[in-house]
């Protein structure tokens, strides 16, 4: 049994920044396109297209910043409470056996 006693705040912040940015894009791009399809009052002038492109970039960036700050705070809180109460316990299995078994079955099926 292993225990996660501490998480690195900066590494989690970097990963969550990228993930939240991608999630923001995944959410915003369809919303903009659905808005274009359903809202007849939007004209295709350069101003409205520019504003929509700005929204597609600004919202994911803000989403990324807010998500990163919250994940850094939660990570710092985890580190604090893990000192007091103990961290998350993990039970890990060796995968060497699984990898070797997979390699053996793959090589047998390739020769047949």
């Amino acid at each position: 049994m292993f225990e996660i006693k501490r998480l690195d705040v900066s590494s989690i912040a970097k990963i969550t920044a990228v993930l939240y940015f991608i999630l923001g894009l995944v959410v915003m791009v369809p919303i903009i396109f659905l808005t274009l399809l359903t809202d007849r009052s939007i004209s295709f002038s350069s101003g409205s297209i520019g504003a929509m492109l700005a929204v597609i970039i600004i919202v994911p960036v803000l989403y990324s910043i807010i998500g990163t700050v919250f994940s850094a705070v939660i990570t710092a809180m985890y580190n604090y409470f893990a000192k007091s109460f103990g961290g998350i316990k993990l039970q890990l299995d060796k995968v060497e056996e699984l990898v070797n078994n997979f390699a053996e079955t793959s090589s047998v099926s390739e020769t047949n």
Side-chain angles (χ1 to χ4, degrees):
M1 190 72 70
F2 293 94
E3 182 177 335
I4 301 174
K5 294 188 178 229
R6 185 179 179 285
L7 299 169
D8 184 40
V9 177
S10 65
S11 66
I12 289 179
K14 286 183 234 175
I15 293 296
T16 55
V18 172
L19 292 175
Y20 276 111
F21 182 80
I22 291 169
L23 186 60
L25 283 176
V26 167
V27 169
M28 282 312 298
V29 170
I31 287 174
I32 293 293
F33 286 123
L34 288 173
T35 302
L36 285 173
L37 291 174
T38 58
D39 193 355
R40 303 283 181 212
S41 66
I42 296 176
S43 67
F44 286 99
S45 66
S46 62
S48 63
I49 297 296
M52 284 183 210
L53 289 175
V55 167
I56 288 175
I57 298 300
I58 291 171
V59 170
V61 168
L62 290 175
Y63 197 68
S64 176
I65 291 169
I66 292 168
T68 301
V69 168
F70 277 105
S71 66
V73 169
I74 294 295
T75 303
M77 289 173 60
Y78 173 84
N79 290 338
Y80 174 78
F81 288 117
K83 283 181 188 175
S84 303
F85 302 108
I88 296 172
K89 294 184 179 14
L90 295 173
Q91 181 176 349
L92 302 174
D93 292 329
K94 287 188 176 185
V95 277
E96 292 174 14
E97 296 170 12
L98 295 174
V99 171
N100 291 336
N101 289 341
F102 178 74
E104 288 173 8
T105 56
S106 315
S107 62
V108 169
S109 62
E110 289 174 1
T111 58
N112 290 340

